[in-house]
Amino acid sequence: MQKGDLLYAGKAKSVFLTDREGILLVEFRDDITAFDGGKKDILDKKGCFNAKVSAYIFRLLTENGIPTHFIDMVDDRRMLVRSLSMIPLEVIVRNVAAGSMSRTYPIAEGTPLSPPVIVIDYKDDSRHDPMLNDDLILALKLLSAQELARVKDLALAVNSVLVRFFESLGITLVDFKIEFGKAGEDIMLGDEISMDSMRLWDMHTGESLDKDVYRFSKGDVMEVYRRVAEKICAGGK
Ligand code: C5P
């Protein structure tokens, strides 16, 4: 497998072409950003922790029948993935009110949400990722009604698997963000699922175990990422 040209560089990952048709190489860099890039740093090994956790979670989801772009790890910060035509949506699933939900709406942080709440934002930094609704998604021709239903079903299926998994680790999965892409007619999970894209709380102490540690300067981010990555990759045993 030969690494080819850079296809795309995001805030924390770079995506490269490969010499194999339809297969891309994703490199998890050590960059960490928050607040639309308003806060940024480079933290040694951060990319490795997120790559490891993403790979573990993609494998777990695959075992549970959820299609993802993940193929295999190449080394500790690079993975091979299936090339998808990405859908410019950020699909957020919330099990507990927190973050922007509690800042925007009259609901206290920590309020359980049952059934879970799905929020879909339009992925566009220049527009600050505005929230969509079903009618807007159809009007903007981002998805058909059938595809939207599939995206929501998959998001809830991911949530069920991950809630159970994190419970077994003594961690509450508060919320997370996922992105989807298309391979022909099939919709699959793309991007990553890591401490950058999930909100995780220690079930007993309420300690933040995710990017909120960085966003709100709550402590040593890398110590937390290392600890959580070890726990996740030990597989709830
Ligand atoms: O900020 P907010 O509370 O809306 O975030 C909800 C969840 O989605 C959090 O877990 C956050 O880390 C994730 N998220 C993300 N990328 C974004 C926005 C939110 O990973 N651009």
Side-chain angles (χ1 to χ4, degrees):
M1 173 73 59
Q2 288 291 312
K3 178 170 156 182
D5 291 342
L6 177 69
L7 188 62
Y8 167 81
K11 292 200 279 280
K13 296 190 296 302
S14 300
V15 181
F16 297 88
L17 294 168
T18 70
D19 58 352
R20 279 171 62 189
E21 175 87 21
I23 297 185
L24 301 175
L25 182 79
V26 178
E27 184 172 293
F28 287 68
R29 305 194 315 267
D30 286 340
D31 303 74
I32 187 164
T33 70
F35 309 119
D36 264 348
K39 178 171 180 178
K40 51 183 158 190
D41 284 283
I42 295 176
L43 301 174
D44 188 38
K45 298 250 170 25
K46 180 248 177 190
C48 301
F49 296 130
N50 278 0
K52 253 180 101 168
V53 165
S54 272
Y56 187 93
I57 291 180
F58 280 137
R59 287 191 179 110
L60 178 68
L61 294 174
T62 303
E63 281 164 20
N64 282 274
I66 296 166
T68 86
H69 69 159
F70 178 76
I71 298 173
D72 206 357
M73 291 298 282
V74 174
D75 58 29
D76 58 1
R77 68 167 74 235
R78 297 186 302 164
M79 62 174 64
L80 294 175
V81 302
R82 183 165 172 173
S83 174
L84 301 180
S85 167
M86 291 305 290
I87 304 162
L89 297 176
E90 300 201 333
V91 180
I92 295 162
V93 183
R94 300 178 179 277
N95 296 300
V96 179
S100 69
M101 182 172 184
S102 296
R103 283 198 303 277
T104 312
Y105 304 102
I107 184 161
E109 183 159 280
T111 309
L113 303 168
S114 183
V117 171
I118 299 180
V119 175
I120 304 185
D121 292 344
Y122 182 54
K123 187 178 165 75
D124 184 340
D125 278 346
S126 70
R127 292 184 161 82
H128 308 290
D129 302 335
M131 191 196 289
L132 295 166
N133 65 20
D134 289 9
D135 287 349
L136 281 165
I137 291 170
L138 300 183
L140 270 59
K141 300 198 186 319
L142 294 166
L143 294 173
S144 68
Q146 203 183 6
E147 288 167 340
L148 177 55
R150 173 77 175 144
V151 161
K152 288 186 185 178
D153 280 352
L154 284 171
L156 291 177
V158 170
N159 188 50
S160 300
V161 172
L162 295 188
V163 163
R164 248 182 296 128
F165 173 68
F166 281 106
E167 242 169 39
S168 75
L169 302 181
I171 293 173
T172 302
L173 177 63
V174 174
D175 55 39
F176 62 92
K177 183 268 302 179
I178 46 180
E179 296 181 24
F180 292 93
K182 286 191 210 170
E185 298 294 297
D186 294 337
I187 294 184
M188 316 190 162
L189 199 54
D191 194 49
E192 68 176 285
I193 305 186
S194 70
M195 287 74 80
D196 278 9
S197 58
M198 296 182 283
R199 188 169 271 124
L200 304 170
W201 291 350
D202 183 296
M203 213 174 258
H204 307 290
T205 64
E207 179 192 1
S208 283
L209 302 171
D210 57 63
K211 196 156 112 178
D212 275 353
V213 178
Y214 175 72
R215 290 189 187 99
F216 305 111
S217 306
K218 291 182 179 195
D220 181 344
V221 194
M222 281 306 88
E223 186 279 320
V224 171
Y225 273 40
R226 177 178 293 106
R227 187 155 39 97
V228 176
E230 266 171 26
K231 205 167 187 176
I232 290 173
C233 297
K237 285 169 204 113

